[in-house]
Amino acid sequence: MESQDIFDRGNWGSKVAFVFAASGSAIGLGSIWRFPIMVGLNGGAIFVLCYLLSVFFIGLTVLLAELAIGRHSQKNLVGAMKLIKPGTPWKGVGYMGIITGVFILSYYSVVAGWAVGYLYKTITGAFRGEVTWQASDSLFRSFAADPLAVVICLFIIIVITTFVISKGVKGGIERWSKILMPVLFALIIILSIRAVTLPGSGTGLTFYLKPDFSGFNLNVLFYAVGQAFFSLSLGMGTMTVYGSYITKKENLVSSAGWVCFSTTLVALLAGIIIFPTLFHSLQLTPEQFKQEFEVSTGLMFQAFPIIISKMPGGYIFGIMFFILLLIAALTSTISMLEVPTSYLVDEKKWKRKNAAIVIGSIAFVLGIPSALSNGGVRFLTKANFMVIMDLVFGNIMLAVGGVLICLFIAYSWKVRNSLKEISIGSKSYKLTALWAFNIKYLAPAAVILIIVFIVIKNIL
Ligand code: PFF
């Protein structure tokens, strides 16, 4: 056993450091790449509305739950379950989270790898001059279909992630997030101002912000809840591990509130950039968009070169944007790798470096089929392998993990015990009753019903 590993865990320097680091995990491709795809696939503003409700009623509830479990136990989810309810099957939720995390890391790193490719393309001048939709679309398709390029880019992401994780929490995550998150934020605001001032942007904003209630159905809700879990890094123990590094002084409620707020804001702004840009470039009405436009996994990569080409100083903006996107993605991949790593370090007494390298290698191998599936190579099924991985792990497994965490608190650890943990550092927790109701009834019932209906609808 390496006693040094235990002392290597460390704590966040302050509340601000924690909020930046947890937002670093939350804000990433989920908000900037995945959220707009979900909006495009699920009828626009109606999805946005369902997403906001899911974040507030379900996401915030589960986030607080994970932080409380983490801080109380000072452990990863498996260790926490073993500590709080020894000898029970609850630790299985932790194991499930570890497996889910490795699978999500595998395809998420593929998309992060695309950002590496796009950074290279931007630097070498691929987006100079006026970029049309057609040009941008064909550029994305040919890039994503180049097997060598996408696998090399995937490899780069996994190597960087593994390197940072092997250095431990303080040296790695905290330093990166504190400096770069505000810069990313500023850049996104500048790009969204440019997007809404494009001719024709109004139609895009209507699609994005004016809900068409006739478009509501269970699928929309299913994907909105899934997106809330995904974007807030919930349901697989990431926020439990992050919570385990928070000191007892900090206020969990306001920390959770800040993480939800900043993540949601970035997602909303990403949509404000993408939809006006798309509608400007395609000249479609919202109805035509819903009927004719094929939303692909490359939506963000197809839209950004267009908006960047319309910025004064676009070359520099483009380079900055893809560097920051890459860093936002890396602060998320780092948090995903931290889940299995902290399990192996804390529970199995592995060396941090070895744990990171083994899990990173597994994620790389698992990521190869996803990397190759966006360009004509079809693995196992006719559908895009990456899309299936995202549906199963990014949507369903995170939601199932989230529900089990709620049920663990409600019926095993008990709400009153978790509230004791939450109230340390936040004496004035006024929303106690609402949180208790959400964690016991609303969040688990809503998620279980949605998943059951979706399964019945698709299988029967
Ligand atoms: N929340 C991250 C994003 O939106 O990019 C993705 C993610 C990170 C999901 C960590 C799950 C997780 F545990």
Side-chain angles (χ1 to χ4, degrees):
M1 163 180 160
E2 284 253 330
S3 59
Q4 189 200 349
D5 286 340
I6 297 168
F7 299 107
D8 270 357
R9 296 190 96 241
N11 273 328
W12 305 110
S14 67
K15 172 177 162 186
V16 178
F18 166 74
V19 171
F20 272 121
S23 304
S25 163
I27 297 170
L29 297 170
S31 298
I32 302 170
W33 162 77
R34 195 179 192 271
F35 174 74
I37 295 175
M38 292 293 151
V39 175
L41 286 173
N42 290 291
I46 186 71
F47 176 86
V48 179
L49 185 66
C50 293
Y51 169 72
L52 292 177
L53 293 173
S54 306
V55 166
F56 187 76
F57 286 105
I58 300 175
L60 191 54
T61 305
V62 179
L63 176 54
L64 203 47
E66 283 206 32
L67 294 183
I69 295 175
R71 190 174 68 174
H72 179 77
S73 62
Q74 301 281 301
K75 287 191 183 309
N76 65 84
L77 196 52
V78 175
M81 296 294 196
K82 279 189 189 162
L83 183 97
I84 299 173
K85 287 288 153 187
T88 62
W90 284 111
K91 58 181 177 296
V93 182
Y95 290 124
M96 208 177 84
I98 290 174
I99 294 169
T100 303
V102 179
F103 276 95
I104 295 182
L105 176 63
S106 75
Y107 70 83
Y108 191 98
S109 301
V110 171
V111 183
W114 292 350
V116 175
Y118 265 62
L119 175 61
Y120 175 77
K121 280 185 190 302
T122 315
I123 292 172
T124 52
F127 308 125
R128 275 178 187 264
E130 179 81 14
V131 178
T132 60
W133 166 262
Q134 285 72 15
S136 183
D137 180 47
S138 68
L139 197 131
F140 172 75
R141 287 179 199 278
S142 62
F143 168 68
D146 178 348
L148 194 61
V150 286
V151 173
I152 290 176
C153 289
L154 164 68
F155 185 71
I156 294 173
I157 294 294
I158 296 280
V159 168
I160 301 175
T161 308
T162 307
F163 176 76
V164 175
I165 278 298
S166 63
K167 293 193 72 183
V169 63
K170 276 231 166 182
I173 310 166
E174 195 174 349
R175 198 183 324 145
W176 288 83
S177 326
K178 252 195 300 201
I179 311 164
L180 294 158
M181 298 305 292
V183 186
L184 174 69
F185 207 68
L187 198 73
I188 287 182
I189 290 181
I190 295 172
L191 287 171
S192 48
I193 293 172
R194 180 66 191 105
V196 294
T197 50
L198 289 172
S201 64
T203 343
L205 286 176
T206 308
F207 171 78
Y208 181 53
L209 295 175
K210 190 160 172 270
D212 166 10
F213 289 95
S214 67
F216 177 80
N217 58 46
L218 264 182
N219 271 329
V220 176
L221 210 51
F222 169 69
Y223 284 111
V225 170
Q227 178 63 23
F229 280 108
F230 192 95
S231 64
L232 294 171
S233 310
L234 298 175
M236 53 172 261
T238 305
M239 289 300 175
T240 310
V241 175
Y242 274 45
S244 74
Y245 299 120
I246 312 181
T247 66
K248 297 279 182 193
K249 283 201 309 285
E250 312 306 345
N251 182 329
L252 291 187
V253 183
S254 73
S255 300
W258 276 108
V259 173
C260 278
F261 176 73
S262 55
T263 309
T264 309
L265 197 58
V266 169
L268 289 177
L269 287 171
I272 292 211
I273 300 172
I274 287 187
F275 291 101
T277 304
L278 272 184
F279 278 78
H280 158 82
S281 199
L282 288 163
Q283 313 246 327
L284 295 176
T285 65
E287 285 321 309
Q288 287 170 324
F289 183 87
K290 284 180 206 163
Q291 280 152 19
E292 291 165 25
F293 185 75
E294 192 201 334
V295 178
S296 84
T297 49
L299 188 67
M300 188 218 93
F301 294 90
Q302 292 155 316
F304 266 85
I306 303 175
I307 183 81
I308 282 162
S309 79
K310 297 200 180 291
M311 300 284 294
Y315 180 71
I316 299 294
F317 264 106
I319 294 175
M320 272 174 73
F321 174 76
F322 284 111
I323 290 179
L324 291 168
L325 180 71
L326 205 56
I327 287 160
L330 283 169
T331 49
S332 303
T333 54
I334 286 164
S335 75
M336 286 178 217
L337 187 57
E338 177 65 14
V339 172
T341 305
S342 65
Y343 163 73
L344 290 174
V345 170
D346 291 350
E347 306 298 313
K348 299 286 170 211
K349 313 299 171 208
W350 283 37
K351 280 191 177 159
R352 188 165 250 282
K353 190 171 160 199
N354 295 349
I357 292 175
V358 169
I359 304 288
S361 311
I362 295 174
F364 172 67
V365 174
L366 285 176
I368 292 175
S370 291
L372 300 178
S373 69
N374 284 277
V377 185
R378 294 283 186 227
F379 275 85
L380 308 174
T381 66
K382 286 210 182 74
N384 180 325
F385 186 81
M386 191 165 99
V387 171
I388 297 173
M389 295 281 275
D390 186 48
L391 172 68
V392 174
F393 294 99
N395 242 71
I396 299 174
M397 292 305 281
L398 290 185
V400 170
V403 167
L404 290 171
I405 289 170
C406 292
L407 295 178
F408 170 73
I409 292 219
Y411 303 104
S412 183
W413 190 25
K414 299 284 189 270
V415 171
R416 64 173 183 285
N417 293 323
S418 47
L419 279 173
K420 261 187 225 149
E421 179 62 45
I422 292 173
S423 64
I424 306 171
S426 51
K427 294 275 175 289
S428 62
Y429 185 33
K430 296 192 191 69
L431 296 174
T432 310
L434 178 63
W435 186 75
F437 176 78
N438 282 354
I439 202 115
K440 268 178 142 165
Y441 308 111
L442 187 108
V447 179
I448 290 171
L449 283 177
I450 294 167
I451 294 180
V452 168
F453 277 122
I454 289 288
V455 170
I456 292 175
K457 205 178 107 192
N458 286 303
I459 294 181
L460 301 182

